[in-house]
Amino acid sequence: MRRALLLALLTLCGCAAVTGLEVRPAFAATSPAGRPTMAPSGTAGDHGSTAGLPLASALVDIAATSTGRGYWLLAGDGGVFTFGDATYHGSTGDLALVSPARAMAATRSGQGYWFAAGDGGVFTFGDAGYHGSAAELALNKPVVGILPTETGGGYWLVASDGGVFTFGDAGFVGSLGGQAIPDPIVGLAPRPGGGYRLVDRVGRVYAFGASYLGGMQGACRGEVTDIASSPSGEGYWLLCSTGDVRARGDAPDLRPRLQLSAGQRAVGLATTPDGQGLWAMGSGVALAHVDETISGPHAFLAVSGGAPVRWSPCLPLSWALADDSPDGAEQLVGEAFDYLAGRTGLRFVFGGRMPAAAPMPVGTIRVGWTDLAPTQLGMATSRAHLTPWGPRMRSSDIALARDTGLALDYSTSGVGPVLLHELGHALGLDHVDDPSQLMYTARSGPTDFNAGDRAGLRQLSAFNGC
């Protein structure tokens, strides 16, 4: 993935400094949450999703009703969304949680639910009983799951280090607490009679009071994000961050078709009572925000006066598609710009299609598909100019490789991550040597901007002032 930056110092050629942007009329842009955040399969019905809703916080978990005709979705701020026959019993969406909500579980009656926050806090609504929490404990790692007992008279909490905490009539049958585990735990699932299984992010499964059916390391192209049990407890499904589902034991091979937008990952899995249906849930895309504490490796294409060269952040930018872009490109690229608007606070408007060889107007990012070298998936060429505020990006041209066989989506086998990488260059990011970052010099697995990438985007953003 190549990038180039051409810094044109206008004062050297006697030209006047460009002070405004030439922006094309705005067209209807794809919503950042335009794709459904829910995918049913088997006997699971489609009861709706948060597509099109302005989420203040991304979704983190799902719980199905006892009838299988509805579900609740939980957001990280404690907001609860109901669909089908799921009834609303309250949320913490209007409170400032000390730690984000991580996991949710429903009562057997369907008239209440619990959710757990990362600090071990437990919140109860409807007929869900409160039996204590881990909020007062000195946790080594955050809580990532909650599992109620069959009676509803207690629950287990599990932390990412494998520690298990029991409350009410939940019996302790083992944990990984105090052990050096290779990867963090991401969820737990029940077995009838009081046992449970824990799963880590690469697919290792740890059984306590349940038969060991084998792990599924390497089964996911991305990370494992959730686990759900079959009704008998002799099987389970694992959810991959890419939206794929893997089955083991007597769990039937069900494959929800979850299409993820830019910035989304699959995060929640729920089953129907008959065990013949599944819902896979995507995280959705939250509204614009900036994390002042995030850090990690990042680099910039150009630096002037100690600050990275960036776009004029308080003026709108236009994005355009090259005329010969494939069918479906407008949705794919529109989602990417909507996602970047949330990450950076920059304003992007769709300027329609333009010839691939046409001169680039000031303030425009053009995306197209063309023939590149066999080993090259994309490239970005950015230009900068002098303005009254100092050097600023002028325009950027992104070329994605044609006929690569990559799907028009944001999975690990899609062109979406390549597009996001090149858009990182278009905004001013350079390559880094860390393969865990999307801005690594070669395609290495990430499908989204990671900590270092986001730290760099923060400095290029409108959140950093004009």
Side-chain angles (χ1 to χ4, degrees):
M1 301 178 189
R2 287 185 2 209
R3 79 283 179 272
L5 177 69
L6 308 176
L7 181 58
L9 301 178
L10 300 185
T11 54
L12 294 181
C13 65
C15 304
V18 178
T19 59
L21 290 178
E22 185 178 312
V23 180
R24 293 164 174 259
F27 288 69
T30 304
S31 165
R35 296 192 185 190
T37 50
M38 184 66 57
S41 65
T43 59
D46 184 356
H47 304 296
S49 78
T50 60
L53 295 181
L55 298 177
S57 182
L59 302 176
V60 295
D61 205 4
I62 176 176
T65 63
S66 56
T67 65
R69 294 193 293 270
Y71 37 77
W72 298 268
L73 308 185
L74 175 68
D77 62 358
V80 174
F81 303 86
T82 62
F83 298 92
D85 64 357
T87 53
Y88 179 76
H89 301 289
S91 77
T92 63
D94 58 348
L95 301 178
L97 296 180
V98 174
S99 182
R102 294 295 191 98
M104 183 183 206
T107 62
R108 283 181 171 260
S109 69
Q111 298 303 308
Y113 40 79
W114 300 267
F115 64 77
D119 63 356
V122 174
F123 301 85
T124 63
F125 301 91
D127 65 358
Y130 179 76
H131 306 290
S133 80
E136 301 301 321
L137 303 178
L139 298 177
N140 294 320
K141 295 292 182 180
V143 166
V144 294
I146 182 171
L147 178 65
T149 63
E150 294 177 349
T151 66
Y155 38 77
W156 295 270
L157 301 181
V158 64
S160 65
D161 62 358
V164 175
F165 307 88
T166 63
F167 301 91
D169 64 1
F172 181 76
V173 293
S175 80
L176 300 170
Q179 301 182 39
I181 59 175
D183 291 282
I185 298 299
V186 296
L188 79 166
R191 184 186 185 280
Y196 42 80
R197 296 183 179 93
L198 315 183
V199 64
D200 71 14
R201 69 181 178 189
V202 302
R204 297 183 187 89
V205 176
Y206 303 88
F208 300 94
S211 53
Y212 178 69
L213 303 175
M216 298 179 72
Q217 297 96 309
C220 289
R221 291 175 294 163
E223 296 181 350
V224 174
T225 58
D226 204 1
I227 182 173
S229 287
S230 65
S232 70
E234 294 306 314
Y236 55 81
W237 297 270
L238 300 185
L239 176 65
C240 307
S241 59
T242 57
D244 300 317
V245 173
R246 302 289 182 258
R248 177 59 61 88
D250 67 1
D253 185 15
L254 300 172
R255 303 195 179 188
R257 297 180 60 84
L258 183 61
Q259 293 188 342
L260 300 173
S261 299
Q264 287 196 54
R265 62 201 304 261
V267 294
L269 193 62
T271 66
T272 57
D274 63 4
Q276 299 300 308
L278 284 178
W279 293 276
M281 183 191 75
S283 59
V285 179
L287 296 173
H289 69 284
V290 60
D291 184 350
E292 297 288 352
T293 65
I294 200 163
S295 63
H298 57 275
F300 302 108
L301 290 176
V303 176
S304 176
V309 176
R310 56 182 178 146
W311 295 87
S312 296
C314 295
L315 295 173
L317 307 176
S318 176
W319 67 270
L321 277 178
D323 278 344
D324 56 354
S325 298
D327 292 341
E330 185 174 321
Q331 177 172 343
L332 179 89
V333 179
E335 288 172 350
F337 278 103
D338 284 335
Y339 176 54
L340 283 173
R343 281 285 182 206
T344 66
L346 297 172
R347 290 177 292 156
F348 300 100
V349 293
F350 180 35
R353 292 180 179 250
M354 63 188 300
M360 288 288 289
V362 175
T364 299
I365 300 174
R366 177 172 57 200
V367 178
W369 275 253
T370 190
D371 295 321
L372 297 175
T375 59
Q376 194 172 4
L377 295 176
M379 65 177 293
T381 303
S382 296
R383 298 169 179 84
H385 60 182
L386 286 181
T387 75
W389 305 280
R392 290 285 188 263
M393 290 293 188
R394 181 188 188 278
S395 62
S396 187
D397 221 348
I398 292 174
L400 301 173
R402 186 184 287 131
D403 300 328
T404 60
L406 296 177
L408 288 177
D409 62 29
Y410 290 90
S411 69
T412 53
S413 59
V415 72
V418 180
L419 172 62
L420 290 178
H421 175 102
E422 302 304 338
L423 284 171
H425 289 317
L427 294 186
L429 291 178
D430 202 353
H431 286 143
V432 295
D433 293 328
D434 182 349
S436 70
Q437 306 302 315
L438 188 64
M439 298 309 296
Y440 183 58
T441 54
R443 188 177 175 107
S444 57
T447 58
D448 189 13
F449 296 108
N450 283 327
D453 307 314
R454 296 199 298 271
L457 287 175
R458 182 185 63 210
Q459 296 188 53
L460 299 168
S461 73
F463 302 120
N464 205 34
C466 294

